[in-house]
Amino acid sequence: MIDLHTHLIPGVDDGARTVETSLKVLERFANDGVTVVVCTPHLNATEADQIDLARYDDAFELLLASAPAVPRLERGWEIMLDAPGIDLHAPHLGLGGSRALLVEFPRMNVPFGASAELQRLSVSGLLPVLAHPERYWGCSVEQVDAWRKAGAIIQLDAAMLLSEGPVGRVARQMLERGMVDVIASDNHGDVRSLGVARTWLEEMRADDQVGLLTRVNAERILAGHRPLLVPPMPQLTGGMLGRLKSLLLGR
C-alpha cells in the first residue's frame, strides 16, 4: 500500500511531536503492508513562497536517520487553498516531487469559488488531489461530483469509512458512486491507518477497488499521472457496517 497523506515529520505542525512517535507509526504501517509514506505537513498557499525549508529539511533528516528502510518516506505538503490564483508550481510542493498537489479547503467554510480554483490548478498542468472532502461542513456527493468535474482527484480518509453521522454517510456514498480515487490515513502520530481501509474493502469483497484505492492510483499520482477510474461499490447496509465495526475495532 501507499499512503499519500500523513503528518509524521516530527514537530513541524499538529502531527507527530517526536521522532519516537513517528517511528512507532511507521513500524505499524510496515506491519500493515505500507511500502511508501508521503509526509505532508500543513501549509497555507499564501505562505508557499515563504517556507523555512531548512527547518523542514532538518526535521525530515532527523526522522530519516532512525527510520526503517520500509516504508520508504517521500515528501509533499497539505496545502490550504486560503486564497485563489496563487502559483503553486514549485517542484518541492508536489507529492514526491511530482506535479500532484495535496490540497484542502477550510473545513467549516469552503469558499464559493472552490470549483474554479481546482479547475485553474488542473488547467495549469497540476494535479490537485483534494484531501478528505467528506469532512467539509455540508459536503454532499453532488458537490464532490462537481469538484471531480473541475479536475480534482478525490482522496478519502480511511477512518471516515466507519464514522457515524453525515460524514460517514457521505464517505460511503462517495465509494458507492465511484467518486473516490485514493484512500489515505491522514495520520497525525496516532492510530489512524490505511490498513483499516484495506480490511474494510476486503470484507466488502471489493476486489476490483481495493488495489486501485490503496496502491495503484497512489502510485500513478506520485508518477504525475491521473488515477484510473474506480468502479462503484455496492450499497453498504447498516447491519454490515455494524459487523465491520466489530471486526475492525475489536468490539
Side-chain angles (χ1 to χ4, degrees):
M1 295 184 289
I2 297 174
D3 198 338
L4 290 180
H5 182 177
T6 70
H7 297 266
L8 294 178
I9 300 179
V12 298
D13 63 1
D14 62 346
R17 304 306 303 165
T18 66
V19 170
E20 291 73 23
T21 298
S22 298
L23 292 177
K24 288 179 182 178
V25 173
L26 292 173
E27 180 181 5
R28 181 161 48 83
F29 279 11
N31 291 334
D32 285 345
V34 177
T35 58
V36 180
V37 170
V38 187
C39 300
T40 54
H42 291 290
L43 174 68
N44 289 333
T46 52
E47 300 170 353
D49 61 349
Q50 307 166 30
I51 307 170
D52 181 3
L53 286 176
R55 173 182 173 234
Y56 291 91
D57 291 345
D58 290 347
F60 185 68
E61 291 299 324
L62 187 64
L63 176 59
L64 275 183
S66 301
V70 178
R72 186 181 85 243
L73 300 184
E74 298 283 356
R75 293 176 65 178
W77 304 85
E78 182 180 15
I79 303 172
M80 173 67 70
L81 298 178
D82 57 336
I86 295 173
D87 183 4
L88 298 174
H89 283 80
H92 66 266
L93 297 177
L95 296 172
S98 73
R99 66 189 184 107
L101 298 178
L102 182 68
V103 300
E104 66 173 337
F105 292 116
R107 196 166 303 172
M108 298 302 294
N109 187 24
V110 176
F112 178 77
S115 292
E117 180 63 6
L118 291 169
Q119 185 174 44
R120 182 191 71 84
L121 292 172
S122 181
V123 169
S124 76
L126 297 172
L127 296 177
V129 181
L130 182 59
H132 44 61
E134 72 280 358
R135 291 167 53 186
Y136 300 147
W137 186 86
C139 182
S140 66
V141 290
E142 290 76 19
Q143 181 62 78
V144 175
D145 184 51
W147 289 333
R148 282 171 60 83
K149 290 176 179 176
I153 295 167
I154 301 300
Q155 178 255 299
L156 178 77
D157 274 7
M160 297 302 104
L161 294 173
L162 299 179
S163 177
E164 301 285 358
V167 172
R169 285 196 297 272
V170 170
R172 294 184 288 274
Q173 287 171 359
M174 287 162 57
L175 283 172
E176 290 167 5
R177 301 192 187 190
M179 293 181 173
V180 179
D181 298 298
V182 64
I183 300 177
S185 72
D186 194 8
N187 187 287
H188 278 62
D190 48 47
V191 299
R192 281 176 277 187
S193 170
L194 189 54
V196 169
R198 182 182 61 189
T199 302
W200 187 90
L201 291 163
E202 289 172 347
E203 273 293 301
M204 287 295 297
R205 294 176 172 81
D207 298 336
D208 295 334
Q209 292 88 357
V210 60
L212 290 168
L213 289 168
T214 63
R215 180 181 56 83
V216 174
N217 279 346
E219 191 171 49
R220 289 181 62 84
I221 289 167
L222 287 177
H225 304 310
R226 293 202 65 85
L228 302 177
L229 291 177
V230 178
M233 289 183 60
Q235 185 174 4
L236 179 65
T237 65
M240 176 63 80
L241 179 58
R243 187 167 76 82
L244 289 171
K245 279 192 163 183
S246 297
L247 171 73
L248 297 173
L249 304 179
R251 296 177 180 173

PDB file of all heavy atoms in Angstrom, residues 35-64:
ATOM      1  N   THR A  35       4.238   0.381   1.953  1.00  0.00           N
ATOM      2  CA  THR A  35       5.608   0.408   1.437  1.00  0.00           C
ATOM      3  C   THR A  35       6.126   1.816   1.170  1.00  0.00           C
ATOM      4  O   THR A  35       7.341   2.026   1.107  1.00  0.00           O
ATOM      5  CB  THR A  35       5.713  -0.403   0.136  1.00  0.00           C
ATOM      6  OG1 THR A  35       4.799   0.136  -0.830  1.00  0.00           O
ATOM      7  CG2 THR A  35       5.372  -1.869   0.388  1.00  0.00           C
ATOM      8  N   VAL A  36       5.225   2.778   0.991  1.00  0.00           N
ATOM      9  CA  VAL A  36       5.614   4.178   0.743  1.00  0.00           C
ATOM     10  C   VAL A  36       4.710   5.080   1.579  1.00  0.00           C
ATOM     11  O   VAL A  36       3.487   4.890   1.610  1.00  0.00           O
ATOM     12  CB  VAL A  36       5.487   4.563  -0.742  1.00  0.00           C
ATOM     13  CG1 VAL A  36       5.908   6.013  -0.949  1.00  0.00           C
ATOM     14  CG2 VAL A  36       6.300   3.638  -1.626  1.00  0.00           C
ATOM     15  N   VAL A  37       5.308   6.041   2.247  1.00  0.00           N
ATOM     16  CA  VAL A  37       4.569   7.029   3.042  1.00  0.00           C
ATOM     17  C   VAL A  37       5.014   8.415   2.607  1.00  0.00           C
ATOM     18  O   VAL A  37       6.213   8.709   2.576  1.00  0.00           O
ATOM     19  CB  VAL A  37       4.836   6.851   4.547  1.00  0.00           C
ATOM     20  CG1 VAL A  37       4.260   8.024   5.334  1.00  0.00           C
ATOM     21  CG2 VAL A  37       4.235   5.538   5.051  1.00  0.00           C
ATOM     22  N   VAL A  38       4.056   9.260   2.262  1.00  0.00           N
ATOM     23  CA  VAL A  38       4.360  10.652   1.919  1.00  0.00           C
ATOM     24  C   VAL A  38       4.046  11.525   3.124  1.00  0.00           C
ATOM     25  O   VAL A  38       2.920  11.499   3.641  1.00  0.00           O
ATOM     26  CB  VAL A  38       3.567  11.123   0.692  1.00  0.00           C
ATOM     27  CG1 VAL A  38       4.038  12.521   0.277  1.00  0.00           C
ATOM     28  CG2 VAL A  38       3.724  10.151  -0.468  1.00  0.00           C
ATOM     29  N   CYS A  39       5.031  12.280   3.583  1.00  0.00           N
ATOM     30  CA  CYS A  39       4.860  13.185   4.718  1.00  0.00           C
ATOM     31  C   CYS A  39       4.390  14.542   4.193  1.00  0.00           C
ATOM     32  O   CYS A  39       5.077  15.159   3.369  1.00  0.00           O
ATOM     33  CB  CYS A  39       6.174  13.335   5.471  1.00  0.00           C
ATOM     34  SG  CYS A  39       6.817  11.785   6.145  1.00  0.00           S
ATOM     35  N   THR A  40       3.240  14.994   4.673  1.00  0.00           N
ATOM     36  CA  THR A  40       2.596  16.178   4.097  1.00  0.00           C
ATOM     37  C   THR A  40       2.215  17.189   5.184  1.00  0.00           C
ATOM     38  O   THR A  40       1.046  17.294   5.563  1.00  0.00           O
ATOM     39  CB  THR A  40       1.340  15.770   3.299  1.00  0.00           C
ATOM     40  OG1 THR A  40       0.485  14.988   4.155  1.00  0.00           O
ATOM     41  CG2 THR A  40       1.710  14.940   2.088  1.00  0.00           C
ATOM     42  N   PRO A  41       3.164  17.936   5.712  1.00  0.00           N
ATOM     43  CA  PRO A  41       2.821  18.941   6.717  1.00  0.00           C
ATOM     44  C   PRO A  41       1.907  20.025   6.152  1.00  0.00           C
ATOM     45  O   PRO A  41       1.875  20.273   4.954  1.00  0.00           O
ATOM     46  CB  PRO A  41       4.180  19.522   7.123  1.00  0.00           C
ATOM     47  CG  PRO A  41       5.110  19.157   6.023  1.00  0.00           C
ATOM     48  CD  PRO A  41       4.592  17.901   5.420  1.00  0.00           C
ATOM     49  N   HIS A  42       1.180  20.667   7.063  1.00  0.00           N
ATOM     50  CA  HIS A  42       0.254  21.731   6.666  1.00  0.00           C
ATOM     51  C   HIS A  42       1.003  22.945   6.134  1.00  0.00           C
ATOM     52  O   HIS A  42       2.080  23.297   6.619  1.00  0.00           O
ATOM     53  CB  HIS A  42      -0.600  22.163   7.860  1.00  0.00           C
ATOM     54  CG  HIS A  42      -1.577  21.124   8.313  1.00  0.00           C
ATOM     55  ND1 HIS A  42      -2.676  20.766   7.573  1.00  0.00           N
ATOM     56  CD2 HIS A  42      -1.613  20.364   9.431  1.00  0.00           C
ATOM     57  CE1 HIS A  42      -3.354  19.829   8.218  1.00  0.00           C
ATOM     58  NE2 HIS A  42      -2.730  19.567   9.348  1.00  0.00           N
ATOM     59  N   LEU A  43       0.401  23.584   5.129  1.00  0.00           N
ATOM     60  CA  LEU A  43       0.968  24.802   4.547  1.00  0.00           C
ATOM     61  C   LEU A  43      -0.152  25.627   3.933  1.00  0.00           C
ATOM     62  O   LEU A  43      -0.982  25.092   3.196  1.00  0.00           O
ATOM     63  CB  LEU A  43       1.989  24.441   3.460  1.00  0.00           C
ATOM     64  CG  LEU A  43       2.571  25.598   2.638  1.00  0.00           C
ATOM     65  CD1 LEU A  43       3.462  26.477   3.513  1.00  0.00           C
ATOM     66  CD2 LEU A  43       3.351  25.068   1.433  1.00  0.00           C
ATOM     67  N   ASN A  44      -0.188  26.913   4.247  1.00  0.00           N
ATOM     68  CA  ASN A  44      -1.123  27.818   3.585  1.00  0.00           C
ATOM     69  C   ASN A  44      -0.576  28.229   2.224  1.00  0.00           C
ATOM     70  O   ASN A  44       0.616  28.552   2.101  1.00  0.00           O
ATOM     71  CB  ASN A  44      -1.362  29.068   4.430  1.00  0.00           C
ATOM     72  CG  ASN A  44      -2.169  28.790   5.678  1.00  0.00           C
ATOM     73  OD1 ASN A  44      -2.971  27.850   5.724  1.00  0.00           O
ATOM     74  ND2 ASN A  44      -1.972  29.599   6.702  1.00  0.00           N
ATOM     75  N   ALA A  45      -1.445  28.235   1.224  1.00  0.00           N
ATOM     76  CA  ALA A  45      -0.995  28.624  -0.112  1.00  0.00           C
ATOM     77  C   ALA A  45      -0.388  30.022  -0.118  1.00  0.00           C
ATOM     78  O   ALA A  45       0.583  30.288  -0.833  1.00  0.00           O
ATOM     79  CB  ALA A  45      -2.171  28.554  -1.090  1.00  0.00           C
ATOM     80  N   THR A  46      -0.942  30.915   0.692  1.00  0.00           N
ATOM     81  CA  THR A  46      -0.441  32.286   0.732  1.00  0.00           C
ATOM     82  C   THR A  46       0.965  32.381   1.314  1.00  0.00           C
ATOM     83  O   THR A  46       1.615  33.427   1.209  1.00  0.00           O
ATOM     84  CB  THR A  46      -1.385  33.182   1.546  1.00  0.00           C
ATOM     85  OG1 THR A  46      -1.617  32.579   2.832  1.00  0.00           O
ATOM     86  CG2 THR A  46      -2.703  33.370   0.826  1.00  0.00           C
ATOM     87  N   GLU A  47       1.447  31.310   1.939  1.00  0.00           N
ATOM     88  CA  GLU A  47       2.784  31.305   2.538  1.00  0.00           C
ATOM     89  C   GLU A  47       3.730  30.370   1.787  1.00  0.00           C
ATOM     90  O   GLU A  47       4.841  30.094   2.261  1.00  0.00           O
ATOM     91  CB  GLU A  47       2.683  30.886   4.007  1.00  0.00           C
ATOM     92  CG  GLU A  47       1.815  31.829   4.838  1.00  0.00           C
ATOM     93  CD  GLU A  47       1.519  31.287   6.224  1.00  0.00           C
ATOM     94  OE1 GLU A  47       1.870  30.115   6.505  1.00  0.00           O
ATOM     95  OE2 GLU A  47       0.931  32.022   7.035  1.00  0.00           O
ATOM     96  N   ALA A  48       3.311  29.899   0.619  1.00  0.00           N
ATOM     97  CA  ALA A  48       4.099  28.893  -0.110  1.00  0.00           C
ATOM     98  C   ALA A  48       5.461  29.416  -0.549  1.00  0.00           C
ATOM     99  O   ALA A  48       6.394  28.627  -0.716  1.00  0.00           O
ATOM    100  CB  ALA A  48       3.310  28.389  -1.323  1.00  0.00           C
ATOM    101  N   ASP A  49       5.583  30.728  -0.743  1.00  0.00           N
ATOM    102  CA  ASP A  49       6.875  31.280  -1.169  1.00  0.00           C
ATOM    103  C   ASP A  49       7.687  31.806   0.009  1.00  0.00           C
ATOM    104  O   ASP A  49       8.717  32.462  -0.184  1.00  0.00           O
ATOM    105  CB  ASP A  49       6.665  32.389  -2.194  1.00  0.00           C
ATOM    106  CG  ASP A  49       5.852  33.555  -1.650  1.00  0.00           C
ATOM    107  OD1 ASP A  49       5.275  33.416  -0.545  1.00  0.00           O
ATOM    108  OD2 ASP A  49       5.782  34.602  -2.321  1.00  0.00           O
ATOM    109  N   GLN A  50       7.237  31.482   1.232  1.00  0.00           N
ATOM    110  CA  GLN A  50       7.934  31.972   2.430  1.00  0.00           C
ATOM    111  C   GLN A  50       8.320  30.829   3.370  1.00  0.00           C
ATOM    112  O   GLN A  50       8.618  31.052   4.545  1.00  0.00           O
ATOM    113  CB  GLN A  50       7.037  32.952   3.195  1.00  0.00           C
ATOM    114  CG  GLN A  50       6.500  34.093   2.347  1.00  0.00           C
ATOM    115  CD  GLN A  50       5.370  34.826   3.043  1.00  0.00           C
ATOM    116  OE1 GLN A  50       5.316  34.911   4.270  1.00  0.00           O
ATOM    117  NE2 GLN A  50       4.443  35.353   2.266  1.00  0.00           N
ATOM    118  N   ILE A  51       8.344  29.594   2.873  1.00  0.00           N
ATOM    119  CA  ILE A  51       8.613  28.442   3.729  1.00  0.00           C
ATOM    120  C   ILE A  51      10.057  28.473   4.229  1.00  0.00           C
ATOM    121  O   ILE A  51      10.987  28.731   3.457  1.00  0.00           O
ATOM    122  CB  ILE A  51       8.392  27.127   2.962  1.00  0.00           C
ATOM    123  CG1 ILE A  51       7.012  27.097   2.312  1.00  0.00           C
ATOM    124  CG2 ILE A  51       8.545  25.931   3.888  1.00  0.00           C
ATOM    125  CD1 ILE A  51       6.825  25.931   1.347  1.00  0.00           C
ATOM    126  N   ASP A  52      10.227  28.188   5.509  1.00  0.00           N
ATOM    127  CA  ASP A  52      11.565  27.989   6.067  1.00  0.00           C
ATOM    128  C   ASP A  52      11.951  26.536   5.780  1.00  0.00           C
ATOM    129  O   ASP A  52      11.832  25.654   6.619  1.00  0.00           O
ATOM    130  CB  ASP A  52      11.535  28.263   7.567  1.00  0.00           C
ATOM    131  CG  ASP A  52      12.910  28.097   8.214  1.00  0.00           C
ATOM    132  OD1 ASP A  52      13.881  27.827   7.473  1.00  0.00           O
ATOM    133  OD2 ASP A  52      12.991  28.238   9.450  1.00  0.00           O
ATOM    134  N   LEU A  53      12.405  26.311   4.546  1.00  0.00           N
ATOM    135  CA  LEU A  53      12.666  24.933   4.114  1.00  0.00           C
ATOM    136  C   LEU A  53      13.716  24.252   4.973  1.00  0.00           C
ATOM    137  O   LEU A  53      13.645  23.029   5.194  1.00  0.00           O
ATOM    138  CB  LEU A  53      13.099  24.925   2.651  1.00  0.00           C
ATOM    139  CG  LEU A  53      11.992  25.167   1.619  1.00  0.00           C
ATOM    140  CD1 LEU A  53      12.586  25.240   0.216  1.00  0.00           C
ATOM    141  CD2 LEU A  53      10.941  24.061   1.694  1.00  0.00           C
ATOM    142  N   ALA A  54      14.687  24.983   5.476  1.00  0.00           N
ATOM    143  CA  ALA A  54      15.736  24.374   6.290  1.00  0.00           C
ATOM    144  C   ALA A  54      15.154  23.712   7.529  1.00  0.00           C
ATOM    145  O   ALA A  54      15.607  22.632   7.944  1.00  0.00           O
ATOM    146  CB  ALA A  54      16.768  25.427   6.680  1.00  0.00           C
ATOM    147  N   ARG A  55      14.145  24.334   8.115  1.00  0.00           N
ATOM    148  CA  ARG A  55      13.515  23.758   9.313  1.00  0.00           C
ATOM    149  C   ARG A  55      12.891  22.404   9.000  1.00  0.00           C
ATOM    150  O   ARG A  55      13.070  21.431   9.735  1.00  0.00           O
ATOM    151  CB  ARG A  55      12.460  24.724   9.844  1.00  0.00           C
ATOM    152  CG  ARG A  55      11.630  24.167  10.991  1.00  0.00           C
ATOM    153  CD  ARG A  55      10.581  25.159  11.436  1.00  0.00           C
ATOM    154  NE  ARG A  55       9.684  24.586  12.428  1.00  0.00           N
ATOM    155  CZ  ARG A  55       8.362  24.557  12.330  1.00  0.00           C
ATOM    156  NH1 ARG A  55       7.777  25.085  11.254  1.00  0.00           N
ATOM    157  NH2 ARG A  55       7.626  24.020  13.268  1.00  0.00           N
ATOM    158  N   TYR A  56      12.166  22.336   7.882  1.00  0.00           N
ATOM    159  CA  TYR A  56      11.519  21.083   7.496  1.00  0.00           C
ATOM    160  C   TYR A  56      12.544  20.048   7.047  1.00  0.00           C
ATOM    161  O   TYR A  56      12.410  18.854   7.335  1.00  0.00           O
ATOM    162  CB  TYR A  56      10.495  21.344   6.396  1.00  0.00           C
ATOM    163  CG  TYR A  56       9.301  22.128   6.872  1.00  0.00           C
ATOM    164  CD1 TYR A  56       9.281  23.523   6.809  1.00  0.00           C
ATOM    165  CD2 TYR A  56       8.183  21.481   7.392  1.00  0.00           C
ATOM    166  CE1 TYR A  56       8.190  24.240   7.254  1.00  0.00           C
ATOM    167  CE2 TYR A  56       7.078  22.195   7.839  1.00  0.00           C
ATOM    168  CZ  TYR A  56       7.092  23.573   7.761  1.00  0.00           C
ATOM    169  OH  TYR A  56       6.004  24.287   8.219  1.00  0.00           O
ATOM    170  N   ASP A  57      13.573  20.502   6.346  1.00  0.00           N
ATOM    171  CA  ASP A  57      14.641  19.587   5.911  1.00  0.00           C
ATOM    172  C   ASP A  57      15.314  18.946   7.121  1.00  0.00           C
ATOM    173  O   ASP A  57      15.551  17.728   7.141  1.00  0.00           O
ATOM    174  CB  ASP A  57      15.688  20.332   5.088  1.00  0.00           C
ATOM    175  CG  ASP A  57      15.171  20.778   3.729  1.00  0.00           C
ATOM    176  OD1 ASP A  57      14.108  20.278   3.305  1.00  0.00           O
ATOM    177  OD2 ASP A  57      15.830  21.629   3.105  1.00  0.00           O
ATOM    178  N   ASP A  58      15.627  19.747   8.126  1.00  0.00           N
ATOM    179  CA  ASP A  58      16.309  19.230   9.310  1.00  0.00           C
ATOM    180  C   ASP A  58      15.441  18.216  10.050  1.00  0.00           C
ATOM    181  O   ASP A  58      15.933  17.164  10.487  1.00  0.00           O
ATOM    182  CB  ASP A  58      16.673  20.376  10.257  1.00  0.00           C
ATOM    183  CG  ASP A  58      17.781  21.269   9.706  1.00  0.00           C
ATOM    184  OD1 ASP A  58      18.433  20.858   8.719  1.00  0.00           O
ATOM    185  OD2 ASP A  58      17.973  22.373  10.246  1.00  0.00           O
ATOM    186  N   ALA A  59      14.146  18.534  10.192  1.00  0.00           N
ATOM    187  CA  ALA A  59      13.240  17.616  10.892  1.00  0.00           C
ATOM    188  C   ALA A  59      13.069  16.315  10.118  1.00  0.00           C
ATOM    189  O   ALA A  59      13.022  15.225  10.706  1.00  0.00           O
ATOM    190  CB  ALA A  59      11.889  18.292  11.113  1.00  0.00           C
ATOM    191  N   PHE A  60      13.010  16.413   8.797  1.00  0.00           N
ATOM    192  CA  PHE A  60      12.864  15.212   7.979  1.00  0.00           C
ATOM    193  C   PHE A  60      14.126  14.358   8.048  1.00  0.00           C
ATOM    194  O   PHE A  60      14.049  13.126   8.159  1.00  0.00           O
ATOM    195  CB  PHE A  60      12.557  15.607   6.538  1.00  0.00           C
ATOM    196  CG  PHE A  60      12.263  14.439   5.628  1.00  0.00           C
ATOM    197  CD1 PHE A  60      11.122  13.689   5.792  1.00  0.00           C
ATOM    198  CD2 PHE A  60      13.144  14.104   4.605  1.00  0.00           C
ATOM    199  CE1 PHE A  60      10.843  12.610   4.957  1.00  0.00           C
ATOM    200  CE2 PHE A  60      12.880  13.039   3.766  1.00  0.00           C
ATOM    201  CZ  PHE A  60      11.727  12.284   3.938  1.00  0.00           C
ATOM    202  N   GLU A  61      15.285  14.983   7.976  1.00  0.00           N
ATOM    203  CA  GLU A  61      16.543  14.243   8.056  1.00  0.00           C
ATOM    204  C   GLU A  61      16.691  13.563   9.413  1.00  0.00           C
ATOM    205  O   GLU A  61      17.233  12.450   9.507  1.00  0.00           O
ATOM    206  CB  GLU A  61      17.726  15.176   7.800  1.00  0.00           C
ATOM    207  CG  GLU A  61      17.826  15.672   6.367  1.00  0.00           C
ATOM    208  CD  GLU A  61      18.009  14.540   5.372  1.00  0.00           C
ATOM    209  OE1 GLU A  61      18.696  13.548   5.709  1.00  0.00           O
ATOM    210  OE2 GLU A  61      17.473  14.644   4.251  1.00  0.00           O
ATOM    211  N   LEU A  62      16.207  14.211  10.466  1.00  0.00           N
ATOM    212  CA  LEU A  62      16.242  13.608  11.796  1.00  0.00           C
ATOM    213  C   LEU A  62      15.397  12.340  11.831  1.00  0.00           C
ATOM    214  O   LEU A  62      15.805  11.323  12.415  1.00  0.00           O
ATOM    215  CB  LEU A  62      15.746  14.620  12.831  1.00  0.00           C
ATOM    216  CG  LEU A  62      15.874  14.229  14.308  1.00  0.00           C
ATOM    217  CD1 LEU A  62      17.340  14.088  14.690  1.00  0.00           C
ATOM    218  CD2 LEU A  62      15.180  15.267  15.182  1.00  0.00           C
ATOM    219  N   LEU A  63      14.237  12.381  11.190  1.00  0.00           N
ATOM    220  CA  LEU A  63      13.388  11.197  11.115  1.00  0.00           C
ATOM    221  C   LEU A  63      14.045  10.113  10.263  1.00  0.00           C
ATOM    222  O   LEU A  63      14.078   8.932  10.642  1.00  0.00           O
ATOM    223  CB  LEU A  63      12.026  11.574  10.540  1.00  0.00           C
ATOM    224  CG  LEU A  63      11.031  10.436  10.297  1.00  0.00           C
ATOM    225  CD1 LEU A  63      10.732   9.686  11.587  1.00  0.00           C
ATOM    226  CD2 LEU A  63       9.738  10.967   9.682  1.00  0.00           C
ATOM    227  N   LEU A  64      14.592  10.501   9.122  1.00  0.00           N
ATOM    228  CA  LEU A  64      15.227   9.528   8.220  1.00  0.00           C
ATOM    229  C   LEU A  64      16.388   8.795   8.891  1.00  0.00           C
ATOM    230  O   LEU A  64      16.631   7.615   8.611  1.00  0.00           O
ATOM    231  CB  LEU A  64      15.746  10.233   6.968  1.00  0.00           C
ATOM    232  CG  LEU A  64      14.780  10.473   5.818  1.00  0.00           C
ATOM    233  CD1 LEU A  64      15.521  11.127   4.661  1.00  0.00           C
ATOM    234  CD2 LEU A  64      14.132   9.174   5.355  1.00  0.00           C
TER     235      LEU A  64
END
